[in-house]
Amino acid sequence: MRLPPLALLVALLLVPAAAADRRLELVHSTGPLPAHGIKLTARSAILVDGPSGTVLWGKRMRVRRPIASTTKIMTALVAMERLGPHSIVTVDRSVRRVPPIVEGLRPGERVEAWKLFYGLLLYSGNDDALALAIGAGGTRSRFVELMNEKAQGLGLSDSHFRSPSGLLDRDNYSTAWDLAALARYAMRNPRFRAVVRTRVKHVPWPGIGEKIYVNKNHLIGSYPGANGIKTGWTTIAKHCLVASARRNGVSLIAVVLGADDSYADVEKLLDFGFSTRG
């Protein structure tokens, strides 16, 4: 039976908040996406209004592409759901065999999870990714299953993960569209937000004094309002960047994949977004 408009509105308002948040879908703007002469080096790109999910600009938004270390956004989210900040992760022997980007975790080392999240999202350590995966999922393969289950639950129909690090390009892919939706979901997590907006983090570490993590996202501290999220690069994926910024109450998310100059591309998108939404 078709509900009258008022009854339909009431029914929608009664949907539990958890169900409403389960799929943070993007929405097209009311008209065609503007061209505005924006020229990017990226093969795929998208600009989204963060709070509403309205797509403001796009280029091959739904084309599946390798995403390199932007994979670690999903890794962090799944691990944060299963590990508290002070959960102890025992570094597995296999963790030392994940070059080329490693911070030097030692097998058998017992580390509080919060420290690994800074290594994962700022330094982009592949050993941090595997340590968290095994700590949160029991095994690497089970954790990857959890990543894909999470993607399915969020409605990311064009995303598939094969590793917690993104080092493997084959069968590890997403789209600009899906990554923007994932970024909106991630930025609702206070723990995630706190990490990705950090430019430099001094972390106490037994035996060596401290580790200093410097965010590889060069927008943090250089682009006004930048507050996240994650970089990525492999020879096949090229430069990838999922970025967020907030100014004067306007929050934007930009994603570029397969770029020659990801920072210049993202800055063009964000500049356009702030000029039209401010």
Side-chain angles (χ1 to χ4, degrees):
M1 180 178 69
R2 186 172 183 177
L3 293 174
L6 180 58
L8 178 59
L9 175 60
V10 172
L12 289 173
L13 291 175
L14 291 176
V15 174
D21 287 345
R22 184 170 168 269
R23 290 172 57 118
L24 295 179
E25 295 181 340
L26 306 185
V27 293
H28 281 294
S29 56
T30 55
L33 296 179
H36 286 282
I38 301 177
K39 294 183 179 180
L40 305 180
T41 67
R43 278 61 174 170
S44 299
I46 196 170
L47 175 68
V48 172
D49 177 78
S52 68
T54 301
V55 179
L56 307 175
W57 195 93
K59 172 184 178 182
R60 302 189 184 98
M61 300 177 290
R62 294 184 180 271
V63 175
R64 294 177 177 179
R65 292 195 54 82
I67 59 172
S69 283
T70 61
T71 296
K72 294 182 174 99
I73 298 171
M74 180 63 85
T75 302
L77 290 172
V78 174
M80 283 179 177
E81 290 177 354
R82 301 174 73 86
L83 296 172
H86 300 291
S87 297
I88 299 299
V89 174
T90 301
V91 178
D92 189 79
R93 289 182 300 173
S94 61
V95 167
R96 63 183 176 183
R97 300 193 297 269
V98 285
I101 306 298
V102 295
E103 64 156 287
L105 295 176
R106 296 164 293 183
E109 197 172 16
R110 289 168 54 81
V111 186
E112 288 181 282
W114 72 267
K115 299 181 180 183
L116 297 175
F117 285 117
Y118 280 97
L120 175 77
L121 293 169
L122 270 60
Y123 183 73
S124 200
N126 293 334
D127 47 355
D128 293 290
L130 185 54
L132 284 167
I134 295 174
T139 65
R140 177 188 179 280
S141 60
R142 175 55 186 151
F143 187 82
V144 172
E145 289 177 0
L146 293 172
M147 294 172 71
N148 287 307
E149 289 171 8
K150 185 69 174 179
Q152 184 178 14
L154 291 174
L156 308 181
S157 57
D158 288 309
S159 298
H160 183 265
F161 300 98
R162 192 182 175 195
S163 80
S165 66
L167 179 63
L168 300 174
D169 290 303
R170 185 177 180 182
D171 294 329
N172 194 88
Y173 58 79
S174 188
T175 65
W177 181 283
D178 277 10
L179 284 178
L182 179 62
R184 290 186 66 223
Y185 180 82
M187 292 301 279
R188 291 190 174 192
N189 184 316
R191 290 173 63 193
F192 184 91
R193 284 200 313 271
V195 176
V196 298
R197 71 188 178 202
T198 303
R199 189 174 68 85
V200 179
K201 184 68 174 180
H202 294 256
V203 175
W205 208 278
I208 62 173
E210 70 174 13
K211 291 185 177 183
I212 303 174
Y213 298 112
V214 179
N215 201 328
K216 290 189 173 181
N217 179 2
H218 297 159
L219 293 177
I220 304 297
S222 66
Y223 185 87
N227 58 2
I229 296 177
K230 188 69 189 75
T231 62
W233 180 88
T234 66
T235 54
I236 294 175
K238 302 179 75 69
H239 292 283
C240 304
L241 179 58
V242 180
S244 65
R246 179 178 175 83
R247 291 186 201 164
N248 301 319
V250 176
S251 295
L252 300 173
I253 291 170
V255 179
V256 296
L257 300 176
D260 295 324
D261 191 337
S262 57
Y263 289 108
D265 286 352
V266 160
E267 288 183 11
K268 288 179 183 179
L269 292 174
L270 294 175
D271 286 347
F272 164 71
F274 285 123
S275 69
T276 57
R277 308 292 277 191

